Amino acid sequence: MTQSYWLDRWERNETGFHQDTYNPYLIEYWPTLRLAAGSRVFVPLCGKTRDMIWLRDQGHAVLGVELSALAVQNFYRENALAPKQAQYSGKQFNHFSDGNIDILHGDFFDLNKNDLTSIQAVYDRASLVALPPDLRRRYAAHMFDILPPATQILLVGFDYPQIEMQGPPYAVPHEEVIALYLPNADVRLLTQIDVLADNPRFQQRGLTRLVESVYLLTLHHPEKS
């Protein structure tokens, strides 16, 4: 999967993954993290998700990273925000900022530890499931490399018989989540629900099962890894 694939989807407005409303799992399970007001939250592959608005309204500083310049522009425009392009030491990123929402326009895999030193939590609704297996392994490994110890991750993903539909979004079974994260994090399954009946577009694509799962992951301290 190339960068041009996602850039082309934004250009063609093929963004069925985007939700116009706040994600209900975010609202229900975010308090489980027990973060203090002012905590900084990282949203990888953020697109133009309005969940960043919700996180900001809970008192958090939000940092997103997004490959598509169009997605970044649409996020600020659709939410009546007027970002300034701020100075940023990483030459591979354009840094946009409005209030407590900052977005780095560039490649997630170009991030390093210095970019995320103040992050205390991560919200991942559709990042992991957007990637094929080889990139999922690289994605998780890169997260471990760049996030501070003890960072919490609220992960929302789903599983279905992969043979029934070509991703993205891809099926990520529970066993794979364990394999990807357990060596470097505590993994807690918060809920798991079959939501196929509520998703006619996936029924039309031939799925017989669609299970959404919500996890709370807590990165280990180095001495525990």
Side-chain angles (χ1 to χ4, degrees), residues 87-177:
Q87 291 185 342
Y88 188 72
S89 58
K91 294 181 181 179
Q92 62 271 48
F93 292 104
N94 295 315
H95 180 191
F96 297 87
S97 179
D98 183 289
N100 275 345
I101 301 179
D102 294 80
I103 298 179
L104 299 179
H105 166 226
D107 189 341
F108 163 82
F109 292 106
D110 286 334
L111 292 169
N112 60 48
K113 289 178 182 291
N114 294 332
D115 300 314
L116 303 183
T117 52
S118 61
I119 293 298
Q120 293 167 283
V122 176
Y123 172 58
D124 178 344
R125 181 192 74 84
S127 300
L128 186 67
V129 298
L131 304 172
D134 57 335
L135 278 182
R136 291 200 291 269
R137 291 188 291 270
R138 184 183 171 201
Y139 171 86
H142 192 56
M143 280 287 201
F144 298 138
D145 286 341
I146 63 179
L147 287 173
T151 299
Q152 298 182 85
I153 303 173
L154 188 70
L155 172 66
V156 181
F158 51 80
D159 184 25
Y160 60 85
Q162 187 69 82
I163 195 173
E164 295 180 353
M165 185 178 78
Q166 181 179 359
Y170 293 94
V172 183
H174 177 73
E175 294 77 13
E176 182 177 352
V177 173

Side-chain angles (χ1 to χ4, degrees), residues 172-225:
V172 183
H174 177 73
E175 294 77 13
E176 182 177 352
V177 173
I178 295 296
L180 287 172
Y181 292 101
L182 191 57
N184 295 286
D186 295 326
V187 179
R188 178 182 170 193
L189 178 62
L190 300 177
T191 192
Q192 201 166 52
I193 305 170
D194 192 325
V195 296
L196 184 62
D198 300 323
N199 288 271
R201 71 185 182 99
F202 286 111
Q203 295 177 41
Q204 293 167 7
R205 294 180 69 176
L207 291 192
T208 58
R209 176 175 58 88
L210 179 64
V211 175
E212 287 188 325
S213 302
V214 183
Y215 297 88
L216 175 59
L217 317 173
T218 305
L219 270 58
H220 295 159
H221 286 278
E223 60 271 17
K224 188 176 178 181
S225 298

